[in-house]
């Protein structure tokens, strides 16, 4: 079973969070998780806010906005 911390670790290592990984995180966050997974998720949030991790979903949204304007 994949854990939240595993997805976070990969995103931090690559600097990139795919749409698939985001969806997987959403599903995992619906179930019970431990403090270590919670802390990992919070670390990912901070990394995304600071720009250390790019989110594919944000890039797609920005591209679509540019194309439709």
């Amino acid at each position: 079973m994949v854990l939240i911390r595993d997805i976070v670790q990969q995103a931090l290592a690559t600097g990139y969070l795919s749409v698939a990984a985001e969806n997987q995180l959403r599903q995992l966050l619906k179930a019970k998780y431990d403090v270590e997974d919670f802390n990992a998720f919070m670390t990912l949030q901070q990394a995304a806010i600071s720009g250390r991790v790019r989110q594919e979903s944000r890039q797609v949204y920005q591209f679509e906005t540019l194309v439709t304007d």
Side-chain angles (χ1 to χ4, degrees):
M1 180 174 133
V2 175
L3 301 173
I4 293 169
R5 67 190 86 140
D6 297 332
I7 297 170
V8 169
Q9 218 171 29
Q10 183 173 3
L12 293 173
T14 62
Y16 189 76
L17 183 66
S18 69
V19 170
E22 281 189 60
N23 289 334
Q24 201 170 15
L25 281 172
R26 283 188 190 93
Q27 293 303 313
L28 291 169
L29 289 166
K30 289 179 183 178
K32 278 192 164 186
Y33 47 87
D34 63 17
V35 172
E36 193 174 339
D37 280 328
F38 175 77
N39 289 334
F41 182 70
M42 296 307 293
T43 299
L44 177 61
Q45 293 286 63
Q46 288 298 321
I49 289 167
S50 70
R52 288 182 291 142
V53 171
R54 293 179 297 129
Q55 294 173 262
E56 180 183 16
S57 63
R58 297 222 183 259
Q59 292 174 333
V60 168
Y61 173 77
Q62 289 172 350
F63 177 76
E64 289 174 352
T65 303
L66 289 173
V67 171
T68 58
D69 284 347

